[in-house]
């Protein structure tokens, strides 16, 4: 997290929990503080990984017609 103080604070508030299917997710079970930075980072990482796995190398913005590259 490159020593980002807000993300470090969010990480301190995270507890990992498992559901009945053994899926792991961040939780703030024992804290009333925010974990939004961690949740946002995880969502961005998943989208990045999924995007890299696609065979289509076009930008999502280009295929949606939002930009003309």
């Amino acid at each position: 997290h490159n020593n980002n103080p807000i993300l470090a604070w969010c990480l301190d508030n995270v507890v990992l929990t498992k559901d009945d299917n053994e899926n792991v997710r961040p939780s703030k079970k024992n804290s009333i503080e925010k974990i939004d930075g961690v949740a946002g980072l995880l969502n961005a990482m998943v989208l990045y990984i999924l995007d890299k796995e696609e065979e289509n190398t076009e930008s999502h913005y280009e295929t949606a017609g939002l930009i003309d590259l």
Side-chain angles (χ1 to χ4, degrees), residues 4-67:
N4 181 291
I6 295 173
L7 190 52
W9 174 67
C10 290
L11 284 166
D12 284 341
N13 300 324
V14 170
V15 175
L16 295 180
T17 60
K18 286 185 182 181
D19 64 14
D20 294 338
N21 294 322
E22 298 295 313
N23 297 311
V24 179
R25 67 180 185 89
S27 173
K28 59 180 195 174
K29 184 177 182 178
N30 297 329
S31 175
I32 60 170
E33 302 294 339
K34 302 287 186 184
I35 65 167
D36 299 336
V38 174
L41 181 61
L42 289 173
N43 287 335
M45 288 175 60
V46 167
L47 289 176
Y48 177 80
I49 290 167
L50 291 175
D51 190 50
K52 289 295 181 186
E53 290 177 352
E54 289 183 1
E55 290 183 29
N56 183 0
T57 59
E58 283 186 299
S59 163
H60 291 293
Y61 297 105
E62 186 178 11
T63 57
L66 298 174
I67 58 173

